[in-house]
């Protein structure tokens, strides 16, 4: 069982972190502790402390003396820092705020912050799919990071590097550094004592918004599995596959202009998804293309009516945008029920999930470095602090002409994004837009666009080198995520089971995988019925 302790019970950080754990191990194995009564610390568990208070030091001490794994996120008072093998905590130097920032990027290049995180060689640190990463990077304007992770700020908030500190007994797994700052800070540390493994992340939310969450999953499921408690982790990739990929077009304008790209994917036997902004000229060729997409095993999703910022600015406007868009699509595509959307600009204020649910939708694609950081999570799932049941996942790798690099391998970043997703066990999604008379998204020509998409598909197949890969349309992807979030693991006398036996099946006829104590099995073969 994982128990999460909040330093500030009213802080949304707690629910963000708890949701990240639920997405990995199911909600049945995650409990958020209350201050009254305080839970008993016992052997065989995992304890998570988010920016712990001084008065919580005895709880951290008790956990570190039990047969346990302990995770500490964020700022640590002296008494807690010493328990983690750290000393001399203090405030950040003023230069970190500038080092954590970077300007928007011009087209055909990237920008990145001077501050970066670098990983050391260590058996647990090796689970990170990055050897290093900047605090912030952009591939398009100040909106997209095609490598998929959120920004690490230096403003003292939930997403910020937390403190200056020194590692004494702890092993430093990763450091934070910047060229113009003398201090190199421990960013991730690990302390092993006789009974517990204590992992600290120098950020209140830890790595919830990065593929580096793979380090957390490795710590939970496998680390020191001979003598430490382990929690089974449910894989985001279906059992029997080494990668899962979904591709979509956001059709802001001229739906039918997507036909050449659709024909490419259809010729390769790959599903094609389109998200439709419905306030467009009502042409027969648009409807014909959407019908062919569906007939070829693809998906048609809503992209709102008008592509309004923030879904129109209110829950009421959001509901109208979603419902009217779905109605438009369903009237033109008999038999279609629109259940999912791609959020305009990937913007999702707090009112969006409930409004989409009222409109009859079950989930959306969101998560982008530009806004709503709580929506940019390493794994897909339900939403922190939200009771609607709506699911989401982040899919911000943009295969656009604007993002094709001028120097070196033009697709280097997109290729790296796929490699990172496979290494972390994450679903990989990428997107493009159809052309319009107004804008060609930097491609210059349809021939150029087709050649780059063909090259990227070839690269994915070559990198997998015969290893099994699953291509999904966007609707099936969100169905899979929703089915995963319905799983509820529980501890039993003989190991672990499911509270709902029906959750083992999925709408796609695929099997869930579970990772535990150095092995990966089909979930149905793992659970104790």
């Amino acid at each position: 069982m994982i128990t999460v302790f909040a330093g500030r019970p009213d802080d949304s950080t707690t629910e963000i972190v708890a949701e990240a754990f639920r997405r990995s191990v199911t909600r049945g194995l995650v409990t958020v502790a209350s201050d009254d009564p305080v839970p008993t610390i016992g052997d065989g568990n995992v304890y998570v402390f988010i920016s712990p208070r001084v008065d919580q030091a005895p709880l951290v001490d008790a956990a570190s003396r039990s047969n346990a794994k302990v995770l500490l996120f964020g700022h640590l008072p002296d008494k807690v820092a010493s328990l983690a093998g750290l000393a001399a905590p203090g405030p950040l130097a003023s230069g970190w705020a500038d080092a954590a920032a970077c300007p928007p990027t011009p087209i055909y290049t990237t920008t990145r912050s001077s501050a970066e995180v670098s990983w050391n060689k260590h058996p647990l640190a090796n689970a990170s799919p990055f050897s290093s990463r900047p605090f912030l990077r952009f591939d398009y304007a100040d909106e997209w990071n095609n490598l998929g992770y959120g920004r690490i700020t230096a403003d003292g908030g939930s997403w910020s590097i937390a403190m200056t500190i020194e590692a004494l007994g702890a092993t430093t797994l990763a450091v934070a550094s910047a060229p113009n700052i003398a201090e190199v800070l421990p960013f991730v540390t690990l302390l092993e004592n006789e009974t517990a493994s204590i992992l600290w992340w120098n950020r209140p939310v830890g790595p919830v918004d990065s593929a580096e969450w793979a380090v957390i999953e490795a710590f939970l499921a496998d680390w020191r599995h001979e003598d430490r408690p382990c929690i089974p982790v449910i894989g985001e990739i279906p059992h029997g596959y080494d990668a899962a990929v979904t591709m979509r077009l956001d059709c802001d304008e001229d739906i039918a202009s997507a036909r050449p790209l659709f024909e490419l994917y259809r010729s390769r036997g790959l599903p094609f998804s389109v998200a439709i902004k419905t306030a467009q000229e009502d042409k027969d060729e648009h409807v014909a293309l959407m019908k062919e997409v569906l007939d070829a095993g693809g998906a048609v999703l809503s992209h709102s009516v008008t592509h309004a910022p923030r879904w129109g600015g209110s829950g009421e406007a959001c509901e109208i945008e979603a419902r009217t868009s779905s109605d438009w699509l369903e009237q033109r595509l008999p038999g279609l029920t629109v259940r999912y959307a791609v959020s305009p600009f990937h913007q999702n204020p707090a009112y969006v999930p409930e409004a989409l649910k009222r409109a009859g939708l079950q989930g959306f694609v969101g998560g982008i470095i530009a806004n709503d950081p709580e929506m940019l999570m390493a794994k897909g799932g339900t939403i922190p602090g939200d009771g609607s049941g709506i699911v989401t996942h982040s899919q911000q790798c943009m295969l656009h002409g604007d993002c094709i690099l001028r120097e070196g391998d033009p697709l280097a970043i997109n290729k790296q994004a796929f490699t990172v997703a496979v290494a972390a066990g994450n679903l990989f999604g990428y997107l493009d837009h159809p052309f319009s008379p107004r804008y060609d998204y930097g491609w210059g020509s349809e021939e150029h666009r087709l050649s780059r998409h063909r090259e990227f598909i070839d690269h994915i197949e070559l990198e997998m080198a015969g290893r099994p890969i699953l291509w999904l349309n966007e609707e099936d992807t969100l169905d899979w995520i929703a089915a995963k979030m319905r799983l509820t693991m529980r501890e039993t006398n003989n190991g672990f089971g499911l509270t709902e036996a029906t959750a083992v099946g999925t709408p796609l006829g695929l099997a869930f995988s579970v990772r535990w104590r150095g092995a990966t099995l089909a979930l149905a073969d793992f659970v104790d019925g």
Side-chain angles (χ1 to χ4, degrees):
M1 177 66 73
I2 299 174
T3 304
V4 180
F5 292 86
R8 286 173 27 199
D10 60 344
D11 188 356
S12 62
T13 307
T14 303
E15 191 54 36
I16 291 169
V17 172
E19 183 60 41
F21 281 105
R22 294 182 194 115
R23 293 183 183 199
S24 292
V25 307
T26 83
R27 65 187 65 256
L29 296 180
V30 180
T31 298
V32 177
S34 64
D35 286 341
D36 184 22
V38 176
T40 302
I41 302 294
D43 289 344
N45 294 309
V46 174
Y47 298 100
V48 182
F49 295 88
I50 303 169
S51 301
R53 306 184 303 267
V54 173
D55 66 285
Q56 290 176 317
L59 286 170
V60 180
D61 184 36
S64 68
R65 294 175 184 274
S66 65
N67 177 25
K69 287 177 178 171
V70 182
L71 294 105
L72 304 171
F73 290 170
H75 185 273
L76 305 178
D78 289 358
K79 291 182 179 180
V80 176
S82 63
L83 295 170
L86 304 164
L92 291 171
S94 59
W96 281 102
D98 289 337
C102 75
T105 185
I107 60 174
Y108 312 130
T109 186
T110 69
T111 54
R112 53 180 289 156
S113 64
S114 61
E116 66 176 13
V117 173
S118 301
W119 287 86
N120 296 326
K121 293 295 183 182
H122 182 276
L124 182 56
N126 291 345
S128 169
F130 300 108
S131 58
S132 66
R133 55 150 288 190
F135 279 28
L136 175 63
R137 68 181 302 281
F138 295 122
D139 290 285
Y140 176 75
D142 57 356
E143 298 179 20
W144 296 85
N145 171 14
N146 283 351
L147 294 180
Y149 50 80
R151 70 184 74 203
I152 301 171
T153 65
D155 59 9
S158 297
W159 308 91
S160 172
I161 184 171
M163 62 193 306
T164 294
I165 204 163
E166 297 177 14
L168 295 180
T171 299
T172 301
L173 305 188
V175 298
S177 64
N180 297 324
I181 299 176
E183 57 185 355
V184 175
L185 300 182
F187 193 72
V188 184
T189 65
L190 176 68
L191 178 70
E192 302 283 6
N193 64 31
E194 293 182 358
T195 57
S197 300
I198 305 171
L199 183 68
W200 172 66
W201 222 281
N202 195 349
R203 191 178 185 226
V205 293
V208 300
D209 56 348
S210 170
E212 291 153 307
W213 185 255
V215 176
I216 300 293
E217 292 190 332
F219 184 69
L220 295 174
D222 299 329
W223 181 247
R224 291 192 59 171
H225 57 79
E226 305 89 352
D227 61 348
R228 296 285 194 256
C230 290
I231 305 293
V233 168
I234 306 297
E236 193 169 55
I237 307 301
H239 185 69
Y241 294 92
D242 291 336
V245 181
T246 183
M247 179 271 176
R248 75 172 201 272
L249 288 189
D250 291 348
C251 298
D252 301 346
E253 301 178 58
D254 200 0
I255 302 164
S257 73
R259 177 166 291 281
L261 198 59
F262 164 62
E263 297 290 359
L264 168 63
Y265 278 79
R266 181 162 62 174
S267 72
R268 303 291 287 264
L270 303 178
F272 194 78
S273 301
V274 289
I276 306 297
K277 186 192 82 171
T278 56
Q280 300 191 41
E281 190 175 355
D282 202 348
K283 293 183 176 180
D284 290 344
E285 55 262 41
H286 294 335
V287 176
L289 179 65
M290 289 188 286
K291 286 180 177 178
E292 290 183 52
V293 166
L294 292 172
D295 290 343
V300 175
L301 291 75
S302 165
H303 197 33
S304 79
V305 179
T306 65
H307 205 281
R310 299 172 64 82
W311 278 98
S314 70
E316 293 74 16
C318 176
E319 181 179 355
I320 292 170
E321 284 274 344
R323 188 183 300 278
T324 307
S325 171
S326 297
D327 289 346
W328 188 95
L329 292 167
E330 291 171 1
Q331 289 165 6
R332 286 155 182 79
L333 301 168
L336 174 68
T337 299
V338 177
R339 296 186 292 115
Y340 297 113
V342 174
S343 295
F345 304 108
H346 280 213
Q347 293 175 339
N348 295 286
Y351 52 76
V352 166
E354 187 61 44
L356 294 182
K357 183 178 181 179
R358 293 196 303 270
L361 299 184
Q362 299 170 14
F364 60 89
V365 178
I368 185 175
I369 198 165
N371 47 262
D372 308 315
E374 70 281 359
M375 297 294 178
L376 202 174
M377 303 275 276
K379 306 289 183 179
T382 47
I383 298 164
D386 174 67
S388 71
I390 290 282
V391 296
T392 184
H393 80 124
S394 179
Q395 186 179 330
Q396 66 162 324
C397 182
M398 190 160 63
L399 186 55
H400 263 190
D402 294 323
C403 300
I404 298 300
L405 297 179
R406 180 180 291 111
E407 299 180 0
D409 181 351
L411 295 180
I413 302 303
N414 304 90
K415 292 174 180 178
Q416 184 185 358
F418 175 71
T419 300
V420 165
V422 174
N426 294 351
L427 283 161
F428 176 67
Y430 65 102
L431 72 144
D432 197 353
H433 287 71
F435 289 175
S436 77
R438 180 184 64 87
Y439 186 35
D440 69 3
Y441 296 90
W443 283 113
S445 70
E446 188 66 66
E447 292 72 21
H448 181 215
R449 187 236 288 272
L450 290 171
S451 70
R452 294 304 181 194
H453 274 262
R454 189 178 297 111
E455 178 185 351
F456 193 45
I457 295 168
D458 290 343
H459 170 80
I460 289 172
E461 294 178 348
L462 181 63
E463 180 162 323
M464 296 307 293
R467 295 159 60 198
I469 178 172
L470 177 67
W471 288 79
L472 295 166
N473 69 43
E474 192 61 60
E475 184 175 89
D476 288 344
T477 298
L478 286 159
D479 278 348
W480 171 256
I481 290 169
K484 180 172 178 283
M485 292 309 298
R486 289 194 295 270
L487 293 171
T488 305
M489 294 280 286
R490 56 183 173 83
E491 293 185 84
T492 69
N493 292 333
N494 299 318
F496 295 89
L498 294 170
T499 58
E500 298 179 25
T502 56
V504 176
T506 74
L508 308 177
L510 300 167
F512 292 105
S513 67
V514 62
R515 172 181 170 187
W516 190 61
R517 295 192 178 278
T520 300
L521 302 169
L523 178 60
D525 296 331
F526 171 79
V527 295
D528 171 39

